[in-house]
Amino acid sequence: MNDDKNLEIPSDDEEICLPSDTLKILQEFLAEKSSLEQSQEENWQLSQFWYDEETISILANACKEISSGKDFRIGLFSCPSLYGEISRALPNVYLFEYDERFLRQSKNCIFYDYTKGTANETLKDFLNFFDLVIADPPFLSEECISKTADILQSALKQGGKIVLCSGRVVSQWAEKFLQVTPCNFQPKHKRNLGNEFASFANFNFDHFIRKQ
């Protein structure tokens, strides 16, 4: 017969002690989880607004439809919420982003500042590099669209494809600086924005859109 008086049951107030190696693993996991959660939050000071899940899925599937093979290269400019799903679907996907939180995701996540235009040092290895570029410039201004256009055109291969996602108010600048025209596809965001959003392209982008 067991002697219950010899059994010690820890109270709720007692701390549970873990081996040091287990504790280290737990701490690293929690730090990574916290970092990931923070990286998924929008920073409104940087004019960040994430796409909703349907838009991300539609754009990822469109990229797969457009891609012509394993050597097809895609550049994402200022649209970090697209990088995860598109990079899982295709091999040669690069993110160019000002927010340094996203640079930890992969060596293909590269810092750049649109205000420097083509003078960005980090872009010098990507001249005439991409078959497709997708951009969502942070500001709805002529200056932002103009400088982003210079960057995209320098990074794009001759005959390459451009998709611009931005407010409909930039239509005239998009056409002027990038020679793109409005598409029927309308990107949507997790939060309701005051500006009406639209997509623009230099090819028949709607042909590759498949509704979820």
Side-chain angles (χ1 to χ4, degrees):
M1 183 174 179
N2 293 329
D3 187 354
D4 291 342
K5 291 184 292 183
N6 293 329
L7 295 176
E8 295 185 3
I9 301 174
S11 69
D12 292 339
D13 295 331
E14 290 185 76
E15 294 185 0
I16 298 175
C17 295
L18 298 174
S20 59
D21 55 342
T22 304
L23 183 60
K24 182 180 179 182
I25 293 172
L26 177 60
Q27 289 172 337
E28 290 175 351
F29 169 76
L30 293 175
E32 183 177 350
K33 182 173 181 289
S34 176
S35 176
L36 180 61
E37 288 173 347
Q38 290 176 8
S39 72
Q40 292 174 337
E41 294 176 358
E42 299 165 327
N43 184 339
W44 290 3
Q45 291 182 330
L46 297 179
S47 189
Q48 292 178 339
F49 304 97
W50 300 158
Y51 298 123
D52 66 14
E53 295 303 320
E54 181 184 28
T55 294
I56 293 172
S57 182
I58 288 173
L59 289 171
N61 286 332
C63 287
K64 288 189 286 186
E65 293 281 336
I66 296 167
S67 175
S68 58
K70 64 179 181 179
D71 295 325
F72 192 87
R73 296 168 176 167
I74 299 174
L76 305 176
F77 291 80
S78 302
C79 41
S81 60
L82 294 180
Y83 179 75
E85 186 150 349
I86 295 177
S87 64
R88 283 192 292 270
L90 295 165
N92 295 308
V93 181
Y94 295 77
L95 172 67
F96 295 86
E97 173 58 39
Y98 182 82
D99 187 344
E100 295 186 3
R101 292 179 300 170
F102 295 94
L103 306 186
R104 297 189 293 268
Q105 294 187 60
S106 163
K107 62 181 177 61
N108 285 3
C109 297
I110 298 155
F111 177 83
Y112 100 114
D113 180 353
Y114 91 85
T115 64
K116 295 181 179 179
T118 53
N120 279 273
E121 280 295 313
T122 51
L123 295 176
K124 64 183 180 181
D125 295 328
F126 298 95
L127 300 177
N128 306 310
F129 188 83
F130 293 106
D131 300 282
L132 167 67
V133 292
I134 302 176
D136 188 343
F139 302 108
L140 308 178
S141 68
E142 182 175 5
E143 178 262 355
C144 184
I145 302 301
S146 172
K147 289 184 175 178
T148 299
D150 289 342
I151 291 168
L152 300 183
Q153 289 167 335
S154 69
L156 196 65
K157 290 180 180 179
Q158 185 175 2
K161 294 178 170 61
I162 299 173
V163 176
L164 178 73
C165 298
S166 189
R168 195 170 293 278
V169 296
V170 310
S171 295
Q172 59 177 331
W173 303 321
E175 183 175 357
K176 176 181 178 180
F177 298 119
L178 282 169
Q179 293 77 55
V180 293
T181 56
C183 307
N184 292 325
F185 172 66
Q186 184 178 7
K188 296 180 181 178
H189 298 79
K190 289 183 177 180
R191 304 176 188 271
N192 293 323
L193 304 183
N195 295 298
E196 183 182 2
F197 253 68
S199 63
F200 309 84
N202 64 347
F203 66 105
N204 185 6
F205 183 52
D206 290 320
H207 173 75
F208 299 95
I209 295 299
R210 302 287 184 268
K211 292 293 185 181
Q212 302 304 298

